[in-house]
Amino acid sequence: MTTTHEDLLAQAERSLAAARAAAESDPLHPIYHITAPANWMNDPNGPVLYKGVYHLFYQLNPYGPDSANKAWGHVVSRDLVHWEHWPVALVPGPSAYDSEGVWSGCCVVHEGVPTILYTGVRPEVQCVARSADGLRTWAKEAANPVIGAPPRDDLTAFRDPFAWREGDEWRMLLGAGIAGQGGTALLYRSRDLVEWEYVHPLCIGFGQVWECPNFFPLGDKDVLVVSPYGPVQYSVGTYQEARFAPGEWHTLDLGGAADFYAPNSLLDAHGRRVMWGWIKGGGTAGRPWNGALSLPRVLTLTADDRVAVAPASELTRLRGAHSRVEDVHLRADGANPLAHLAGDTLEIAAELEVGNVDACGLGLRCGSNGEAAAQIVYERDGNQLRLNGTGGRLAPFLPDRPLQLRVFLDRSIVEVYANGRDCLTGRVYPNGNEGLGLSLFVTGGRARLKTMDVWDMGSIWEG
Ligand code: DQQ
């Protein structure tokens, strides 16, 4: 009997169902970041707002917590904060063109029909799938692959379609690299998403390969975001006559590629550019999960042509029990003013006047000996923010303003947003999982905690 795509989807669902309880019961498993039901996930794919509902897909290995058998998982939300799992959208096969993987891509609506563009593997070819039932089930296009070969023979990658509407046609970028020249995004055009005409490289730049390109207007500029096998980079520039003139390249998240990679974004009904990225890594050894998505982040253009990143305002809906600490003078030998607080699913909003300190910071998941599994440290010299040693320079804010931090701790995930502008994503693996305490510390001077609000956060999962 012939195996159909439906048979393969059902097999994937059975595998996820079998592993789900063990994944969710891991004390390091996040509760308010998007995860797969179980096993492996990586890049967010095809975020789209359809009839007022957010749909977000992601790279999924239904069969284990390792990077293989790439399929498209699917989650759905009405408010950007609470989500439910929908059936797996696409799996590899049964045809040969994608039998080794349904890799990253995008989702657009063409003449009313939700349409996924993805990379089939191997080799890397571009494919289409459509939904006739409101994104619940997907049928692969009979003419797949719609782009069966790269437009030139010196490419080192050819994948991750990102499409947008321009006038009366579609434009699409494919992440690529040109041997001996650098990373690039190849521009294509089409009227129907099936017949594609290659235009040229949108621009060519640093590195070897630009994975998962995202390209969108922001303010009065255009922004290209690429994942170059290293920390995600963006450039603010101008798009004219089908070419992008990039400005300087900057790192999007100070946590580096190990903790935030391959982001994908959509334009929402309020005109906001909302982005999610893949947060790498799993939990307690032997638990069948690996990977999560960042919180939804809203991007804006700053006056100095940088991209500011802030958590979506809707996230306040997850806030539960609240505590406040205010007006505390901090010195190196002072008592910990947070000794009465604890938790591993928290949001912490703090305003710190950093005074003349060398460094100050926040300890998360502190054990009974007071030692923090995660230390968020601000160093005044160099204006650096770090999480357990990894980080970078913040946009200048002294001497006019206090350091403003919003910290999201979700079991083993930490996201730090600073001054409404910079962000830093990381993981925390406490020894033994039991540390729940918080601490505040300074070295080499005095500082003042103006305010700190701490909320217990609820789960994002509906039902
Ligand atoms: N992950 C996908 C590729 C993409 C890479 C495969 C980026 O399509 O280039 O899972 O993490």
Side-chain angles (χ1 to χ4, degrees), residues 42-43 59 67 70 103-104 119 159-160 211-212 261-262 278:
N42 55 292
D43 319 346
Q59 289 283 280
S67 180
K70 295 300 170 62
W103 281 15
S104 289
T119 298
R159 57 179 180 262
D160 307 337
E211 295 186 294
C212 298
Y261 196 68
W278 165 34

Side-chain angles (χ1 to χ4, degrees), residues 40-45 59-60 67-68 70-72 102-105 118-119 121 124 157-161 175 209-213 227 229 261-263 278 280:
W40 170 276
M41 78 186 301
N42 55 292
D43 319 346
N45 290 157
Q59 289 283 280
L60 164 74
S67 180
K70 295 300 170 62
W72 278 42
V102 176
W103 281 15
S104 289
Y118 67 93
T119 298
V121 176
E124 293 170 15
F158 181 60
R159 57 179 180 262
D160 307 337
V209 168
W210 292 350
E211 295 186 294
C212 298
S227 294
Y229 295 158
Y261 196 68
W278 165 34
K280 300 182 181 179

Side-chain angles (χ1 to χ4, degrees), residues 348-395:
I348 302 165
E351 286 206 52
L352 256 167
E353 289 169 351
V354 301
N356 63 349
V357 293
D358 290 339
C360 57
L362 187 61
L364 306 176
R365 304 213 58 155
C366 304
S368 47
N369 59 358
E371 205 167 295
Q375 277 208 329
I376 300 162
V377 178
Y378 172 72
E379 291 168 11
R380 210 159 50 85
D381 187 23
N383 198 29
Q384 301 272 325
L385 186 72
R386 296 183 199 286
L387 172 66
N388 289 348
T390 300
R393 186 182 290 273
L394 295 179

Side-chain angles (χ1 to χ4, degrees), residues 255-335:
D259 296 304
F260 182 85
Y261 196 68
N264 218 321
S265 68
L266 58 69
L267 187 69
D268 79 355
H270 312 288
R272 297 180 303 179
R273 179 57 53 176
V274 183
M275 175 176 270
W276 295 261
W278 165 34
I279 300 177
K280 300 182 181 179
T284 309
R287 300 296 186 122
W289 73 277
N290 194 306
L293 301 188
S294 72
L295 296 172
R297 301 171 171 193
V298 175
L299 310 186
T300 48
L301 188 68
T302 66
D304 57 349
D305 279 352
R306 294 289 192 97
V307 171
V309 183
S313 55
E314 289 90 331
L315 290 164
T316 56
R317 292 184 192 161
L318 296 172
R319 290 174 176 173
H322 172 240
S323 315
R324 176 166 254 233
V325 179
E326 56 193 352
D327 195 22
V328 180
H329 291 269
L330 303 166
R331 349 178 273 266
D333 56 354

Side-chain angles (χ1 to χ4, degrees), residues 25-303:
S25 62
D26 179 5
L28 293 182
H29 191 261
I31 66 161
Y32 70 90
H33 284 74
I34 293 169
T35 46
N39 292 326
W40 170 276
M41 78 186 301
N42 55 292
D43 319 346
N45 290 157
V48 66
L49 185 61
Y50 182 72
K51 297 192 173 169
V53 176
Y54 295 97
H55 292 260
L56 183 54
F57 304 85
Y58 54 85
Q59 289 283 280
L60 164 74
N61 175 7
Y63 297 108
D66 56 331
S67 180
N69 313 306
K70 295 300 170 62
W72 278 42
H74 187 183
V75 287
V76 173
S77 172
R78 275 164 187 76
D79 65 0
L80 202 61
V81 172
H82 297 96
W83 295 86
E84 67 181 284
H85 289 289
W86 271 27
V88 175
L90 295 167
V91 290
S95 300
Y97 63 82
D98 67 0
S99 62
E100 289 185 37
V102 176
W103 281 15
S104 289
C106 63
C107 181
V108 294
V109 181
H110 176 64
E111 295 179 348
V113 181
T115 305
I116 285 175
L117 303 171
Y118 67 93
T119 298
V121 176
R122 174 163 308 221
E124 293 170 15
V125 293
Q126 313 316 321
C127 306
V128 163
R130 295 188 194 81
S131 176
D133 59 2
L135 291 81
R136 195 161 274 279
T137 62
W138 295 85
K140 295 179 184 175
E141 157 69 46
N144 277 343
V146 295
I147 304 178
R152 43 195 286 173
D153 57 14
D154 57 354
L155 297 181
T156 51
F158 181 60
R159 57 179 180 262
D160 307 337
F162 179 84
W164 69 95
R165 194 79 188 155
E166 201 171 300
D168 56 2
E169 62 181 28
W170 291 97
R171 298 274 167 116
M172 173 176 76
L173 293 181
L174 290 175
I178 301 177
Q181 288 192 52
T184 189
L186 304 175
L187 183 64
Y188 280 76
R189 56 197 284 196
S190 170
R191 290 205 176 257
D192 59 5
L193 302 175
V194 174
E195 297 275 326
W196 288 96
E197 180 193 335
Y198 173 58
V199 184
H200 51 227
L202 183 74
C203 66
I204 303 174
F206 67 93
Q208 292 177 352
V209 168
W210 292 350
E211 295 186 294
C212 298
N214 257 231
F215 187 52
F216 45 82
L218 198 66
D220 58 353
K221 295 282 172 40
D222 299 288
V223 176
L224 179 61
V225 179
V226 301
S227 294
Y229 295 158
V232 175
Q233 302 291 305
Y234 75 87
S235 178
V236 174
T238 39
Y239 175 57
Q240 256 180 348
E241 289 171 16
R243 295 197 190 263
F244 179 62
E248 274 178 50
W249 290 92
H250 303 286
T251 298
L252 190 58
D253 184 298
L254 300 174
D259 296 304
F260 182 85
Y261 196 68
N264 218 321
S265 68
L266 58 69
L267 187 69
D268 79 355
H270 312 288
R272 297 180 303 179
R273 179 57 53 176
V274 183
M275 175 176 270
W276 295 261
W278 165 34
I279 300 177
K280 300 182 181 179
T284 309
R287 300 296 186 122
W289 73 277
N290 194 306
L293 301 188
S294 72
L295 296 172
R297 301 171 171 193
V298 175
L299 310 186
T300 48
L301 188 68
T302 66

